Amino acid sequence: MPKKLFGTWCFFLLLALITVQPVLGAEARYQRSVERYTIPDVTLVNQDGAKVALRPYLETGEPVIVDFIYGTCTTICPVLSAGYANLQRKLAKEGRSVHLVSITIDPENDTPRVMKDYLARYRAKPGWDFLTGSRADIDAVMTAFDAYIPDKMSHYPLNMIRNPKDGTWVRLFGIMGSKEFMAEYKKVADL
């Protein structure tokens, strides 16, 4: 099977799994907590090669969702990214947008070109950025979010939603269905 066709097939399979998952199990499969994080004063690079000062980029007057992924992952990251794509699509149907940020945990390999191709694979719309940087800066960001891992292979499913009203972050640990993800976003966005 051609690589591009396989990628498209995987995308729609993951999207279907995320959409169907709540029907299969009513019990939440993720843990929710509210945290405070201090964003490090670092400058990262997005998929277009533009520099992004992380702290002002995340600390805006709108909710922001952050996850940690890498471009060649074949396990958790495709599921998280399918969740982002699904959230973006569903909110667009309501005439709304969402600020999504994926931060690489593999800066040695995730160049702007790799990140741009990754976003294209998930049909990302404007408002979803994929950031990379030096290993030291990426480690500082992971540590600030209490998400540091020494090896990308030991990563885990994690989303964080920033509440712009009080600066807190809703930490969601685990795989969520699309309805759960939407509900968590709206709890913050519609306050």
Side-chain angles (χ1 to χ4, degrees):
M1 181 180 294
K3 187 176 179 181
K4 189 172 185 174
L5 182 60
F6 180 74
T8 302
W9 183 84
C10 287
F11 171 75
F12 284 110
L13 176 63
L14 288 169
L15 203 56
L17 288 173
I18 286 172
T19 303
V20 170
Q21 182 270 336
V23 175
L24 300 176
E27 188 174 318
R29 295 185 206 186
Y30 64 95
Q31 297 173 344
R32 182 183 198 275
S33 62
V34 177
E35 310 288 343
R36 287 201 174 273
Y37 301 121
T38 302
I39 309 301
D41 187 18
V42 297
T43 298
L44 303 181
V45 175
N46 72 11
Q47 69 279 357
D48 297 318
K51 291 182 179 180
V52 175
L54 189 62
R55 186 179 298 161
Y57 182 69
L58 298 181
E59 294 179 351
T60 69
E62 300 295 325
V64 179
I65 305 178
V66 171
D67 70 4
F68 292 95
I69 63 171
Y70 64 98
T72 56
C73 177
T74 58
T75 58
I76 295 168
C77 306
V79 176
L80 293 175
S81 296
Y84 266 25
N86 203 21
L87 184 67
Q88 226 182 12
R89 185 176 52 82
K90 287 187 171 189
L91 287 170
K93 285 182 180 177
E94 297 177 7
R96 303 171 65 175
S97 62
V98 58
H99 185 181
L100 303 170
V101 179
S102 294
I103 299 174
T104 185
I105 56 174
D106 186 18
E108 293 81 7
N109 295 302
D110 284 345
T111 62
R113 176 62 190 222
V114 169
M115 298 188 301
K116 195 170 189 115
D117 289 348
Y118 185 90
L119 292 177
R121 203 176 322 147
Y122 290 92
R123 300 180 180 156
K125 304 286 185 269
W128 179 359
D129 285 314
F130 196 175
L131 306 177
T132 190
S134 69
R135 169 51 69 190
D137 286 346
I138 294 297
D139 285 351
V141 175
M142 285 194 292
T143 300
F145 279 101
D146 193 21
Y148 176 77
I149 51 167
D151 176 357
K152 68 182 179 185
M153 300 308 289
S154 56
H155 68 305
Y156 43 81
L158 181 64
N159 283 289
M160 289 150 294
I161 306 172
R162 184 176 182 273
N163 183 336
K165 293 187 174 60
D166 62 8
T168 59
W169 291 82
V170 175
R171 183 181 178 96
L172 304 165
F173 181 89
I175 300 292
M176 293 178 289
S178 61
K179 286 185 180 178
E180 294 164 324
F181 198 20
M182 176 69 90
E184 290 291 352
Y185 174 75
K186 286 186 172 180
K187 282 180 191 173
V188 172
D190 297 344
L191 285 176

